[in-house]
Every structure is written in C-alpha cells, then in structure tokens.
C-alpha cells in the first residue's frame, strides 16, 4: 500500500458485522443510481441521491463513532460510480477489514483496501477514479407521521415479493384496528395480506384516521432487498406524501443517526 503525506479522508471498518452491512448497502445501491456523492464531514458521512425517474430518494447517514476509525481533515464531497463500487465490494470476503482513503497525492482517485489477519484471506487493494457531480442536497423537512409501524425486514421483503406476483401496485389500507396490504391484476387476480397490529414491534396512527395509499411494487421490491442491512424495518406514512422506509445500521440509542432511509412517492389514483 502506498504511503500518503496528506490524507484528506480516511475511514476503517474492522467490525465484521458492520463491514458486511456497509459492503451490502453500497454494493446494491447501484439499482437506483449510477453515481453517488460521499459527503464526508468531521463528525459524519452522508449520502443522498434520487433515481432517474425522480420517484424515489434515499439518504444514508453514518456518524463518526459508527466506524472503527474515521478521520476527515477538511469537508469533502467524493463522487463515485456505483457500478465500480459495487464490483469491488463484491470481491470482499468474510474477515476483510475495509479501509477507504482519499489524499492530495491521488486527488482524482479513491484508494480502497481489504485486509485480513487470516492468512487464507488475501489482502486486496483498489484504486478507482472519482467522478465530478454537480448536485445539491435536498432538505427534507421532518414531519410527524400519520401512521408508522415496524416489522421484521425479512417479513417485509417476503410480503413485497409475493404481492408483486399479483400486480404492479401496492395498496395500503391502515386504521386503528388493522393493516391490509394488497395487489391485483385483471389477468391473475388479487392477493391481500392482513397484518395483526398486535404482532407488530411498533404501531402508531392518528386517532380515527383511515389511510388509503398506493405505491409502485417495482421500487418496493428493490428497497426491500436491503433487509440484510437490518433485522427490522420501519415504515412511515403521511397522506399524499412519500412513504419513508428506514433501515437502522445499529440498535443502540443512536440508531436514528445511523440509517438508510428511502422516500417513495405515492401513485396517483386517477379514478
């Protein structure tokens, strides 16, 4: 590995559970966008991007303390091609520590290393080109949800994949007593999933409210594959606003600060 005299940004993930989370997250984010900006500041990393159809936006927030090592000498935006990032992360093996480094020596490159003390797991070094991105961050105003609930993320993925077999649109009906998820098509028929609110890890709704919302199952199928990042998923709804789907990267009291959030616009009912 090269020695750098002026490191601008460097972080290391040696915790194997977190290394797997990070690798899976950024290996699969390519399904939504071709490029991303790593916004690296002294106390946190932030990534925000939108899909090409402007239907879905995602945010990744990771605080400094989540990493085993994290150092940023000056705030910097690092533009990365997601296909390249996905390709190199796909060759990470169990036992590898991840190290990302950017320096003035290689100002237009990002150096990434996978290292291991296990002699059967070989060290791997990469240097990838950076891309210039002229994007501005969107400010998302915090709003009180009309309804929200959490459930095992694997269950959410299974339900979405099953509903997609029967149609392209997810219908959500939610009130104080029940949650119903459905899809249908003229040729195949319809499917409805009834979720007992007593079986949920968390459930909140505005009293006397009845929500009826529709979302594209294609996007939800891609989002639900991030079930491997977290054991639970949190779903938040505001009538006539995008739904928010949150996977937390840890289960500590700081989990709100370490997460990936997806904001998916509802389908408009023209009937």
């Amino acid at each position: 590995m090269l020695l750098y005299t002026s490191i601008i940004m460097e972080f290391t993930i040696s915790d194997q559970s977190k290394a797997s989370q990070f690798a899976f997250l950024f290996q699969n984010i390519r399904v939504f966008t071709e490029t991303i900006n790593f916004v690296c500041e002294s106390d946190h990393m932030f990534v925000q991007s939108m899909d090409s159809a402007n239907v879905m936006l995602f945010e990744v927030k990771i605080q400094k303390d989540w990493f085993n090592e994290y150092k940023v000498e000056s705030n910097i935006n690092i533009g990365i091609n997601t296909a390249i990032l996905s390709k190199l992360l796909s060759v990470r093996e169990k036992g590898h520590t991840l190290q990302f480094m950017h320096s003035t020596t290689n100002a237009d490159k990002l150096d990434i290393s996978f290292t291991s003390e296990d002699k059967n797991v070989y060290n791997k070094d990469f240097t990838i080109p950076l891309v210039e991105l002229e994007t501005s961050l969107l400010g998302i105003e915090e709003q009180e949800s009309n309804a929200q609930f959490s459930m095992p993320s694997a269950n959410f993925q299974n339900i979405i994949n099953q509903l997609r077999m029967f149609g392209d649109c997810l219908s959500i009906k939610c009130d104080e007593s029940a949650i119903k998820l459905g899809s249908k098509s003229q040729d195949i028929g319809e499917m409805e999933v009834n979720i007992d609110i007593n079986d949920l890890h968390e459930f909140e709704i505005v009293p006397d409210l009845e929500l009826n919302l529709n979302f594209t199952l294609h996007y939800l199928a891609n989002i639900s594959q991030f079930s491997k990042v977290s054991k639970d998923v949190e779903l938040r709804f505001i009538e006539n606003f995008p739904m928010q789907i949150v996977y937390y990267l840890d289960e500590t009291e700081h989990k709100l600060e370490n997460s990936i959030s997806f904001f998916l616009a509802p389908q408009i009912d023209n009937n």
Side-chain angles (χ1 to χ4, degrees):
M1 191 70 185
L2 293 174
L3 295 177
Y4 297 91
T5 55
S6 182
I7 297 173
I8 302 173
M9 181 280 296
E10 179 181 17
F11 66 82
T12 301
I13 309 173
S14 56
D15 180 284
Q16 288 301 294
S17 176
K18 291 181 177 181
S20 295
Q21 279 182 311
F22 189 91
F24 183 86
L25 195 166
F26 288 104
Q27 186 180 341
N28 290 280
I29 213 72
R30 72 187 189 284
V31 300
F32 301 116
T33 181
E34 294 181 356
T35 55
I36 54 174
N37 250 337
F38 277 86
V39 179
C40 300
E41 299 188 3
S42 61
D43 60 348
H44 74 281
M45 173 188 292
F46 183 74
V47 178
Q48 183 190 80
S49 188
M50 184 174 287
D51 77 296
S52 58
N54 294 333
V55 174
M56 192 279 304
L57 178 143
F58 69 85
E59 292 184 340
V60 181
K61 298 184 291 185
I62 309 179
Q63 299 301 307
K64 173 182 179 178
D65 292 343
W66 187 87
F67 299 91
N68 293 99
E69 296 178 18
Y70 182 90
K71 180 174 66 175
V72 175
E73 293 299 331
S74 59
N75 294 350
I76 186 172
N77 292 357
I78 300 175
I80 301 175
N81 180 292
T82 56
I84 296 174
L85 185 60
S86 176
K87 189 173 295 186
L88 71 87
L89 287 171
S90 71
V91 304
R92 175 192 173 266
E93 298 176 57
K94 184 178 180 180
H96 270 144
T97 289
L98 307 183
Q99 182 183 43
F100 284 61
M101 184 184 298
H102 182 60
S103 74
T104 55
T105 306
N106 257 348
D108 60 346
K109 301 287 193 301
L110 180 67
D111 292 288
I112 302 170
S113 295
F114 301 163
T115 59
S116 176
E117 295 181 359
D118 186 339
K119 299 303 181 183
N120 294 315
V121 180
Y122 301 123
N123 295 342
K124 301 171 184 178
D125 297 325
F126 311 85
T127 298
I128 63 173
L130 300 182
V131 295
E132 290 189 16
L133 299 176
E134 294 183 2
T135 58
S136 56
L137 297 177
L138 298 176
I140 299 178
E141 183 179 348
E142 289 285 342
Q143 298 188 65
E144 192 73 24
S145 300
N146 294 151
Q148 69 180 58
F149 60 89
S150 63
M151 63 191 303
S153 55
N155 290 2
F156 176 64
Q157 183 178 23
N158 289 336
I159 289 171
I160 293 300
N161 288 337
Q162 292 165 11
L163 288 168
R164 198 181 178 196
M165 293 190 291
F166 289 85
D168 299 323
C169 176
L170 169 71
S171 65
I172 298 177
K173 298 178 181 180
C174 181
D175 59 28
E176 290 178 275
S177 62
I179 298 172
K180 296 181 179 182
L181 309 179
S183 67
K184 62 182 179 180
S185 65
Q186 187 172 358
D187 297 332
I188 301 175
E190 62 183 278
M191 174 182 175
E192 185 175 81
V193 180
N194 295 283
I195 300 176
D196 188 333
I197 61 174
N198 295 312
D199 294 335
L200 296 171
H201 295 172
E202 175 189 354
F203 177 74
E204 296 179 12
I205 190 169
V206 173
D208 301 322
L209 179 68
E210 293 185 7
L211 278 180
N212 289 278
L213 300 168
N214 298 296
F215 299 92
T216 306
L217 276 166
H218 168 72
Y219 283 95
L220 286 168
N222 287 333
I223 293 170
S224 70
Q225 72 177 342
F226 287 84
S227 62
K228 292 184 179 180
V229 169
S230 175
K231 68 176 184 178
D232 293 325
V233 61
E234 187 172 285
L235 310 177
R236 303 174 185 173
F237 303 93
I238 302 177
E239 198 162 17
N240 300 319
F241 278 83
M243 71 180 294
Q244 184 179 2
I245 303 167
V246 186
Y247 295 95
Y248 295 111
L249 301 180
D250 66 37
E251 295 299 324
T252 70
E253 65 272 18
H254 304 297
K255 70 177 187 177
L256 295 175
E257 301 170 351
N258 299 302
S259 63
I260 176 169
S261 297
F262 299 91
F263 299 84
L264 179 62
Q267 283 191 334
I268 304 300
D269 187 357
N270 294 319
N271 296 324

